Amino acid sequence: MWYFKSPEVVFGEDSLSHLQQIEGSRAFIVTDPTLALLGVAGHIEGLLQEAGFATELFAEVEPEPSLQTVRRGAECALAFAPDWIIGLGGGSPMDAAKAIWAMYERPELDATDINPMTNLNFSKARMIAIPTTSGTGSEATWAVVLTDTEEKRKFSTGSREIVPTIAIVDPSLTTKLPPRITADTGLDALTHAVEGYVCSWSNDFSDGLCLKAAQLVFAYLERAYTDGENDVEARDKMGVAATIAGLGFGNSNLGLAHAMGHSFGAHFKKPHGRCVSLFLPYVTEFSINGGAGRYGDIARFVGLTTDSDEEAGGRLLVQRMRDLESAVAQPQSIASFEIAPADFEDALERLCDHAEQDTQFFTAPRIPEREELEKLFQYVYEGRPIDF
């Protein structure tokens, strides 16, 4: 038995106007300081206030949100008593909003208590997710990734009950994204699409979403990176890609690129999308070398080959990933993050420990032994193709 969970998705030009059609009276907006400073959060508040809502803004979410931040946010939500919680931003504010929503509904819970077996029984509020980047897919999933700043590690959790009620995907919110963030988030969406398709929990409902998302990223990410302020079509298609990739992996799972990327990013404090996509070509090679995965399917769907040879198609896909990463100036080795060899070696045991503890590790198409995992990290540090 399996489940497919999805929000109601409102997408395309002028999607934000849907905010003036929802019923309610009090909206608690979870966002980050930058979006508050730029006036984006104020614009959302204005639309809601025109519709008769009282609003409160919690604009404290940092990149890679911490347990401490979501605990403060939950206390603020409890004091304000909203009937809608709105996550506005990239994956960090949306993930924080989900955790805050759960802790608002169940004040006795901590964010670390949220899991697929938790019965939340929501009755106080519903949630709207409004992405301002095109990558995380958090607007469409039940996953939450938070950071324990004391232990310098990320943990992934979630529950089907914290899938947002509504996702609003409006391309107008992404036209001003800087090229670097466009690249990081777009490659995150590609990693979701590929890993969602090849992981051991893949299924017929999620497969088509993952394939289409991969096709859209390969077709439109470089355009959005190069001229995203003017190329509205590219921004629109990347928004769609991110959301349907979220629907895809959110109803299957992910794999080794995320397990290793979570571990690396939390330890060295690097952006999520840049980290998981760094590992994607390498873990794809690792899987292909072991005869695992369905990478040839993706290669055929995105137009790289018509041949049915799975291994050959997978290797074409790896090269296409690397070509796209080069086109958008993505770092392709750990060393290129200017991490000293001694610092990397000192962290290696912890990197492996945390990767093995990640919820995505065990749904990878090929699961490495400990020695293989250490070797993978070392090869990625040097930028060496995987030959084992």
Side-chain angles (χ1 to χ4, degrees), residues 53 59 71 83 104 116 134-135 155 172 203 232 273 295 299 312 329 336 343:
F53 277 81
R71 288 165 183 159
D83 46 29
Y104 169 62
S134 297
F155 72 93
S172 69
N203 58 82
V232 177
Y295 300 100
S336 64
D343 292 337

Side-chain angles (χ1 to χ4, degrees), residues 27-32 36 41-42 45 55-60 88:
F28 184 77
I29 302 168
V30 180
T31 190
D32 61 46
E45 277 197 291
T55 62
E56 180 163 318
L57 189 64
F58 180 77
E60 299 182 23
L88 171 69

Side-chain angles (χ1 to χ4, degrees), residues 210-249:
C210 292
L211 288 171
K212 184 62 179 178
Q215 182 191 60
L216 290 171
V217 175
F218 280 127
Y220 291 100
L221 176 56
E222 188 174 354
R223 283 173 50 180
Y225 173 82
T226 303
D227 191 27
E229 189 167 351
N230 300 305
D231 195 336
V232 177
E233 181 186 32
R235 290 297 192 189
D236 183 43
K237 295 297 187 183
M238 284 303 302
V240 171
T243 301
I244 64 174
L247 286 172
F249 89 80

Side-chain angles (χ1 to χ4, degrees), residues 31-262:
T31 190
D32 61 46
T34 300
L35 290 174
L37 183 64
L38 293 175
V40 178
H43 177 57
I44 300 302
E45 277 197 291
L47 291 172
L48 289 163
Q49 288 168 1
E50 287 174 13
F53 277 81
T55 62
E56 180 163 318
L57 189 64
F58 180 77
E60 299 182 23
V61 181
E62 71 274 50
E64 322 301 332
S66 66
L67 290 172
Q68 293 78 10
T69 296
V70 299
R71 288 165 183 159
R72 287 198 308 274
E75 290 175 359
C76 293
L78 282 164
F80 182 67
D83 46 29
W84 285 96
I85 290 177
I86 297 177
L88 171 69
S92 294
M94 289 189 287
D95 280 7
K98 292 177 193 175
I100 289 168
W101 185 24
M103 295 164 71
Y104 169 62
E105 294 281 351
R106 293 279 303 277
E108 76 279 10
L109 289 180
D110 188 67
T112 56
D113 298 322
I114 302 167
N115 64 68
M117 306 306 294
T118 305
N119 187 357
L120 297 173
N121 288 325
F122 286 175
S123 60
K124 298 178 184 177
R126 291 172 286 176
M127 179 178 165
I128 299 173
I130 307 174
T132 60
T133 65
S134 297
T136 69
S138 183
E139 68 275 9
T141 75
W142 51 274
V144 172
V145 180
L146 301 173
T147 298
D148 187 328
T149 54
E150 294 179 2
E151 295 196 15
K152 296 177 70 174
R153 61 172 294 188
K154 289 185 180 181
F155 72 93
S156 303
T157 186
S159 164
R160 285 198 308 277
E161 292 182 73
I162 59 173
V163 172
T165 314
I166 300 171
I168 299 178
V169 185
D170 193 316
S172 69
L173 292 173
T174 62
T175 56
K176 301 292 187 181
L177 277 181
R180 182 69 263 150
I181 297 177
T182 297
D184 288 346
T185 54
L187 290 170
D188 190 18
L190 179 64
T191 309
H192 292 156
V194 172
E195 291 208 302
Y197 186 78
V198 303
C199 79
S200 60
W201 288 0
S202 63
N203 58 82
D204 291 343
F205 281 83
S206 63
D207 279 354
L209 294 162
C210 292
L211 288 171
K212 184 62 179 178
Q215 182 191 60
L216 290 171
V217 175
F218 280 127
Y220 291 100
L221 176 56
E222 188 174 354
R223 283 173 50 180
Y225 173 82
T226 303
D227 191 27
E229 189 167 351
N230 300 305
D231 195 336
V232 177
E233 181 186 32
R235 290 297 192 189
D236 183 43
K237 295 297 187 183
M238 284 303 302
V240 171
T243 301
I244 64 174
L247 286 172
F249 89 80
N251 288 286
S252 57
N253 204 13
L254 294 165
L256 202 53
H258 272 78
M260 296 176 73
H262 285 160

Side-chain angles (χ1 to χ4, degrees), residues 286 356 361 366-376:
F286 176 72
E356 287 178 327
F361 185 82
R366 180 186 176 191
I367 300 172
E369 300 293 335
R370 178 64 177 231
E371 289 183 1
E372 292 175 320
L373 182 60
E374 290 182 3
K375 198 172 178 181
L376 276 169

